[in-house]
Amino acid sequence: MTVEEFEEFYARTVARLTGQLYVMLGDLHEAQDVVQEAFVKGWSRRRQIDSDGQPEAWIRTVAWRLAVSRWRFRRRAADAWKRSGAPPHVEGPGPDQVTLVEALRELPAQQRRALTLHYLCDLTVEQIAGETGQSVSTIKTHLVRGRTALAHRLQDPRIEEAPGA
C-alpha cells in the first residue's frame, strides 16, 4: 500500500471504524483514541497489512486489542487504589447516552463485540470467527444470546403484554 493509498484508506474507513469501536466499547473518546493509535501502527506496516487484502479488519483488531490492554491497565490501577484505601474517581454515564448504547453496555463484552461486528461491520459469522479467533458455533451463541438480551432490555415498559400472551 503506497502512502497515497493508505491516506485514501484512512479517509474512507476512519469514521466507520470509530463508530464500530464506539459501539463495542461504549465510549466515543476511547474509540477515537484506539482507532487513531491502530492507524499509527498500521502506517509503518502499510505494505504488510495490504498483503492479506483485509486492512480494515487488521486496524479493527489492533484497535480492539489496544482497548483491551487499556482496560487491563485501568483494572490494575483500580485494584491498586483499592489496596491503598483511596477510592478511584469514576464518572457516571452522561444524560445523552443513547438507549441502545446503554443496553449494549449491559451485555458481556464478547456478545457486544459479536453483535457489532455482525450488524455494524456487516461481517459474516465465519469472518467474525476468523477475526476473533473463536469458533463459528461460539460466535453464533454470542449472537443469539446478545440479540435475546437486547430484545429484553429494549422492551418499552409502557407497553403491557396482552393477557395470555
Side-chain angles (χ1 to χ4, degrees):
M1 189 179 293
T2 65
V3 171
E4 293 80 17
E5 290 170 335
F6 189 86
E7 289 173 349
E8 181 184 319
F9 165 66
Y10 173 84
R12 191 177 67 246
T13 61
V14 67
R16 180 173 52 243
L17 286 164
T18 301
Q20 294 164 359
L21 268 292
Y22 171 47
V23 174
M24 284 190 246
L25 303 174
D27 183 334
L28 179 59
H29 296 292
E30 185 75 7
Q32 290 169 330
D33 286 348
V34 295
V35 168
Q36 288 302 318
E37 192 171 339
F39 271 107
V40 168
K41 290 181 182 293
W43 172 258
S44 61
R45 295 174 181 88
R46 63 186 178 276
R47 288 182 180 85
Q48 297 164 344
I49 66 172
D50 191 38
S51 64
D52 70 356
Q54 296 187 7
E56 188 170 341
W58 189 92
I59 296 289
R60 186 175 35 250
T61 300
V62 169
W64 174 257
R65 288 178 181 162
L66 289 167
V68 169
S69 293
R70 289 178 177 196
W71 286 338
R72 288 180 181 149
F73 173 79
R74 286 188 197 116
R75 185 177 36 182
R76 286 190 302 268
D79 290 345
W81 276 105
K82 285 179 188 174
R83 285 191 301 274
S84 73
H89 174 69
V90 179
E91 293 184 25
D96 58 347
Q97 291 293 325
V98 179
T99 303
L100 179 60
V101 173
E102 289 175 349
L104 284 166
R105 282 180 145 176
E106 295 175 13
L107 297 178
Q110 293 298 333
Q111 290 177 13
R112 184 172 55 243
R113 185 178 185 199
L115 288 167
T116 301
L117 291 173
H118 188 65
Y119 291 105
L120 259 60
C121 303
D122 203 27
L123 298 182
T124 65
V125 172
E126 292 76 16
Q127 289 171 320
I128 297 169
E131 189 169 315
T132 62
Q134 297 176 334
S135 70
V136 169
S137 62
T138 300
I139 298 302
K140 287 180 180 179
T141 300
H142 287 319
L143 288 171
V144 168
R145 289 180 181 168
R147 284 189 295 255
T148 301
L150 278 180
H152 176 72
R153 284 177 172 84
L154 295 176
Q155 284 181 343
D156 189 341
R158 297 172 294 182
I159 300 174
E160 293 185 26
E161 218 175 278

